[in-house]
């Protein structure tokens, strides 16, 4: 890399628009959407889609609610031509969906394009030619007048071919390709010349697509270009301004959003952002960005995982696990502080029963997109007590007291460090069982017990507890069941404990409900030990919890 890149690269010039209005605007309604997955997206694939995959992708786009679909470049060859003609004849296109096709500004290509759409009730023909200085000088070797004439000639052929097929409701789109790197005044001039030929009206407007063919500057510059164009194009009420951003600088979505704020009416792009080089504008991200601001994008992504599977199958391109909204890990936190905040957010939402979504680190409810809450928090060596507690609560219904969360977190951290991998819910549950719940490894195991009340009100515990290969009968007296169990353990096994805290709660609902009991104890040496008991009977759960604590002494 050069130490002084200014010797090789020049900054892109800004637009003289001192009274720009777009910065103070907000997106308040859905634009018109156009999917170009089957054209721009398809041409960017290593292995372009065959007819079966195109059909599957077309059906997916329709299910999302996109009403305008660019289905191909029919003059590029027999594959696209035949597919488009078969699609038109198949009856697969819903009445409220309009297909669009692309053509360069050449008579033979335009005529082939119209032939592919023969019999369509309605269609959009998209004409383009490049207008920017680099293309004029390097690619074509043409003047501005010659470039303008290409657009005018193409528009005339569009007009005449449409007149020859009056049974179709024809709409026209024109792109001054490379708009983002062209002089905006020249783009206005070329588009106005096209309007003079096609004579659009407010009832039958022309679509002017203003592509960031190559993303060349910060998104605010593109927004300035869009606002400037909208101010200066004649008969604005007969024009639909459409955006087609690319992602060369990594800001294709931002450019589209600012372009909408600058007055655009339509957004072109691909589901999940496929497209040449770094990709086209990601329609999923733009739409869900609106959704999180309370704006209905009029698209349906409630089965986002199903959409991803279809896109991956048809394109043979994986979706990155950190892809906005769609990635496998975008709703997942491994960090302890993140997990704690998310857990508290869900708890607060449950308490307050608030309609508005406000969960730390989650800008959207995963459930709205068909995702479950199970993967919101996952545990590895970076995780904390809140994440572990969340998993036990979601998976097993256990609501661990805070100090128990901290105690168990040490064990989880040890296992994560030891295994050097993510711990799943089964790992955590097995570790919890081994650490706190009665098992074959425990010294003391409850066999049976009775509880009676003495004349003075004391509670008397009488139980059978296995130790090693023998069963011992123990008894104890106290002012409650737990204190009487502690007395019995002290007298029977010499284990003396003091209760610091006790918590219990129900697990589940209805006839399958169980009780969970948590007891925090302190030994005579001042060491804290925890015990956990789970049983259908709450009293038995508390007895098991005390025995669990006793089994932790010295461990």
């Amino acid at each position: 890399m050069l130490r002084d890149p200014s010797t090789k690269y020049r900054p892109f010039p800004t637009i003289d628009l001192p009274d720009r209005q777009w910065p103070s605007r907000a997106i308040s309604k859905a634009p018109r959407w156009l999917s170009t997955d089957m054209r721009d997206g398809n041409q960017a694939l290593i292995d372009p889609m065959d007819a079966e995959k195109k059909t599957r992708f077309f059906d997916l786009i329709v299910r999302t609610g996109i009403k305008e679909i660019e289905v191909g470049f029919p003059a590029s060859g027999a594959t696209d031509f035949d597919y488009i003609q078969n699609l038109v004849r198949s009856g697969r296109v819903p009445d409220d969906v309009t297909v669009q096709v692309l053509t360069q500004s050449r008579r033979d290509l335009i005529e082939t394009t119209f032939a592919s759409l023969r019999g369509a009730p309605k269609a959009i023909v998209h004409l383009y030619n490049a207008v920017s200085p680099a293309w004029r000088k390097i690619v074509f070797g043409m003047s501005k007048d010659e470039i303008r004439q290409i657009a005018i000639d193409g528009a005339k052929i569009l007009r005449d071919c449409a007149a020859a097929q009056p049974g179709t409701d024809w709409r026209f789109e024109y792109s001054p390709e490379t708009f983002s790197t062209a002089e905006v005044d020249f783009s206005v001039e070329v588009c106005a010349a096209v309007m003079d030929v096609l004579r659009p009206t407010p009832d039958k407007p022309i679509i002017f697509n203003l592509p960031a063919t190559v993303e060349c500057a910060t998104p605010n510059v593109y927004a300035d270009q869009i606002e400037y164009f909208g101010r200066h194009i004649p008969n604005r009420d007969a024009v639909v301004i459409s955006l087609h951003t690319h992602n060369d600088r990594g800001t294709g979505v931002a450019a589209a959003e600012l372009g909408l704020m600058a007055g655009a009416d339509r957004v072109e792009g691909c589901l999940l952002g496929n497209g040449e080089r770094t990709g086209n504008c990601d329609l999923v991200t733009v739409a869900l960005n609106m959704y999180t601001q309370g704006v209905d994008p009029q698209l349906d992504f409630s089965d986002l995982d199903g959409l991803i599977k279809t896109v991956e199958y048809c394109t043979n391109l994986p979706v990155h696990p950190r892809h906005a909204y769609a990635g496998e890990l975008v709703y997942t936190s491994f960090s302890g502080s993140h997990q704690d905040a998310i857990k508290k957010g869900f708890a607060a939402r449950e308490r307050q029963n608030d309609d508005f979504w406000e969960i730390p680190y989650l800008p959207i409810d995963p459930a709205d997109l068909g995702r479950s809450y199970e993967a919101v928090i996952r545990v590895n060596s970076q995780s904390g007590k809140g994440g572990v507690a969340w998993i036990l609560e979601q998976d097993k219904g256990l609501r661990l007291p805070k100090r128990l969360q901290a105690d168990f977190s040490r064990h989880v951290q040890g296992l994560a460090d030891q295994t050097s991998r993510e711990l799943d819910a089964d790992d955590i549950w097995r570790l919890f069982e081994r650490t706190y719940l009665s098992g074959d490894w425990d010294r003391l195991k409850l066999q049976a017990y009775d509880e009676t009340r003495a004349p003075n009100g004391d509670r008397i515990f009488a139980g059978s507890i296995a130790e090693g290969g023998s069963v011992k009968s123990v008894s104890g007296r106290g002012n409650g069941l737990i204190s009487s169990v502690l007395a019995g353990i002290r007298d029977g096994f010499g284990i003396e404990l003091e209760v610091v805290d006790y918590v219990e709660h129900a697990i589940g609902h209805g006839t399958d409900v169980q009780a969970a009991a948590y007891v925090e104890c302190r030994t005579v040496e001042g060491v804290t030990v925890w015990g956990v008991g789970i049983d259908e009977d709450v009293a038995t759960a508390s007895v098991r919890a005390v025995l669990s604590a006793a089994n932790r002494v010295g461990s």
Side-chain angles (χ1 to χ4, degrees):
M1 293 179 67
L2 300 173
R3 295 302 82 188
D4 182 8
S6 67
T7 61
K8 187 173 183 178
Y9 301 99
R10 290 172 291 190
F12 192 83
T14 58
I15 306 298
D16 183 18
L17 197 66
D19 60 339
R20 58 181 58 81
Q21 300 299 305
W22 65 262
S24 60
R25 296 176 183 156
I27 299 171
S28 58
K29 63 177 183 179
R32 288 169 57 173
W33 302 99
L34 172 96
S35 163
T36 187
D37 288 277
M38 300 175 66
R39 199 275 304 169
D40 203 341
N42 189 48
Q43 75 179 17
L45 300 177
I46 298 171
D47 298 310
M49 291 182 276
D50 58 20
E52 183 270 331
K53 288 183 176 179
K54 282 187 175 181
T55 299
R56 186 177 295 201
F57 213 127
F58 180 84
D59 292 344
L60 170 68
I61 296 166
V62 169
R63 287 198 302 273
T64 67
I66 294 174
K67 302 302 182 185
E68 297 174 10
I69 305 172
E70 194 163 71
V71 292
F73 196 147
S76 66
T79 300
D80 259 18
F81 185 96
D82 292 344
Y83 175 77
I84 293 165
Q85 182 68 111
N86 290 334
L87 180 65
V88 168
R89 292 174 176 174
S90 68
R92 198 176 202 95
V93 182
D95 292 341
D96 61 347
V97 171
T98 304
V99 296
Q100 174 173 303
V101 293
L102 182 71
T103 179
Q104 291 170 307
S105 187
R106 277 174 37 192
R107 177 175 291 278
D108 59 327
L109 302 182
I110 295 172
E111 289 176 347
T112 300
T113 298
F114 274 86
S116 74
L117 292 168
R118 192 175 302 279
K122 58 183 177 180
I124 301 169
V125 180
H126 180 186
L127 177 76
Y128 75 96
N129 66 297
V131 300
S132 68
W135 271 256
R136 294 197 308 261
K137 292 184 295 184
I138 299 169
V139 181
F140 302 121
M142 290 183 174
S143 67
K144 283 185 174 180
D145 288 344
E146 290 171 311
I147 292 294
R148 184 192 313 105
Q149 194 60 47
I150 290 174
I152 292 170
D153 292 343
K156 289 178 179 178
I157 301 167
L158 285 188
R159 178 194 62 196
D160 296 342
C161 286
Q165 295 186 45
T168 299
D169 180 9
W170 295 107
R171 301 299 168 105
F172 302 119
E173 176 172 344
Y174 172 72
S175 289
E177 192 197 6
T178 65
F179 168 84
S180 58
T181 51
E183 310 91 335
V184 67
D185 283 324
F186 183 56
S187 295
V188 171
E189 182 183 324
V190 173
C191 289
V194 170
M195 290 180 76
D196 287 341
V197 175
L198 296 176
R199 301 292 180 183
T201 65
D203 292 333
K204 201 168 184 177
I206 187 170
I207 301 167
F208 283 137
N209 183 47
L210 306 179
T213 306
V214 179
E215 192 176 31
C216 58
T218 48
N220 61 295
V221 174
Y222 183 66
D224 282 348
Q225 292 172 323
I226 300 302
E227 183 169 335
Y228 187 99
F229 183 94
R231 290 190 192 184
H232 291 84
I233 193 70
N235 302 320
R236 176 65 178 89
D237 60 349
V239 170
V240 172
I241 293 179
S242 187
L243 308 174
H244 184 116
T245 60
H246 282 83
N247 208 39
D248 300 270
R249 294 170 56 92
T251 56
V253 166
E257 291 179 324
L258 299 192
L260 288 174
M261 292 161 60
D265 310 293
R266 185 176 184 251
V267 174
E268 298 190 5
C270 292
L271 299 177
L272 304 174
N274 180 36
E276 290 282 16
R277 304 184 310 279
T278 54
N280 286 12
C281 175
D282 178 0
L283 298 185
V284 175
T285 299
V286 176
L288 293 180
N289 282 353
M290 292 181 192
Y291 184 81
T292 63
Q293 303 303 302
V295 177
D296 179 7
Q298 298 181 11
L299 300 178
D300 183 5
F301 298 125
S302 57
D303 180 19
L304 191 55
D305 286 337
L307 180 148
I308 292 166
K309 287 178 183 177
T310 299
V311 171
E312 288 184 330
Y313 167 76
C314 292
T315 64
N316 200 30
L317 294 174
V319 173
H320 194 281
R322 299 294 181 189
H323 191 109
Y325 297 109
E328 178 188 358
L329 297 178
V330 296
Y331 307 113
T332 299
S333 288
F334 293 99
S335 161
S337 60
H338 290 204
Q339 294 173 344
D340 184 61
I342 291 170
K343 180 175 180 292
K344 289 176 179 175
F346 275 104
R349 181 172 176 80
E350 187 174 334
R351 288 195 308 270
Q352 297 164 5
N353 196 26
D354 193 347
D355 289 337
F356 286 99
W357 180 257
E358 189 178 22
I359 303 291
Y361 297 110
L362 292 177
I364 193 171
D365 185 349
D368 289 354
L369 308 178
R371 295 270 176 95
S372 71
Y373 294 135
E374 293 175 3
V376 168
I377 289 175
R378 289 162 62 175
V379 173
N380 62 16
S381 61
Q382 304 300 306
S383 305
K385 62 182 185 299
V388 173
W390 163 271
I391 288 176
L392 286 173
E393 181 172 349
Q394 295 296 304
D395 201 52
K396 299 297 182 181
L398 299 180
R399 299 195 294 272
L400 273 56
K402 277 192 174 182
R403 290 193 294 275
L404 177 55
Q405 293 177 26
D407 188 78
F408 184 48
S409 180
R410 294 185 295 104
H411 297 277
V412 173
Q413 186 72 40
L415 180 61
D417 289 338
Q418 177 186 340
T419 58
S420 298
R421 65 172 174 82
E422 179 187 352
L423 304 181
D424 61 23
D426 287 340
D427 293 323
I428 292 168
W429 175 242
R430 285 194 295 268
L431 180 61
F432 188 83
E433 282 188 305
R434 191 163 63 247
T435 305
Y436 301 108
L437 298 178
S438 297
D440 293 340
W441 51 85
D442 279 341
R443 173 188 169 193
L444 307 178
K445 303 181 183 65
L446 179 68
Q447 302 297 299
Y449 79 95
D450 287 314
E451 178 194 8
T452 57
R453 188 180 295 274
N456 67 352
D458 283 352
R459 309 284 277 276
I460 300 172
F461 168 81
S464 299
I465 297 176
E467 181 185 29
S470 61
V471 176
K472 180 180 288 189
S473 296
V474 299
S475 64
R477 179 188 290 255
N479 59 7
L481 176 60
I482 290 177
S483 61
S484 66
V485 176
L486 288 173
I489 293 173
R490 180 195 63 216
D491 296 341
F493 301 102
I495 300 173
E496 188 163 356
L497 294 173
E498 174 191 5
V499 173
V500 176
D501 193 19
Y502 173 82
V503 178
E504 65 184 39
H505 67 79
I507 305 174
H509 303 281
T511 57
D512 295 329
V513 69
Q514 287 187 301
Y518 313 94
V519 61
E520 181 183 8
C521 298
R522 185 182 297 122
T523 68
V524 293
E525 295 82 13
V527 177
T528 296
V529 291
W530 279 91
V532 180
I534 299 174
D535 197 89
E536 294 177 356
D537 175 67
V538 65
T540 303
S542 65
V543 173
R544 293 188 184 281
V546 173
L547 279 175
S548 169
N551 280 312
R552 306 285 81 75
V553 174
S555 63

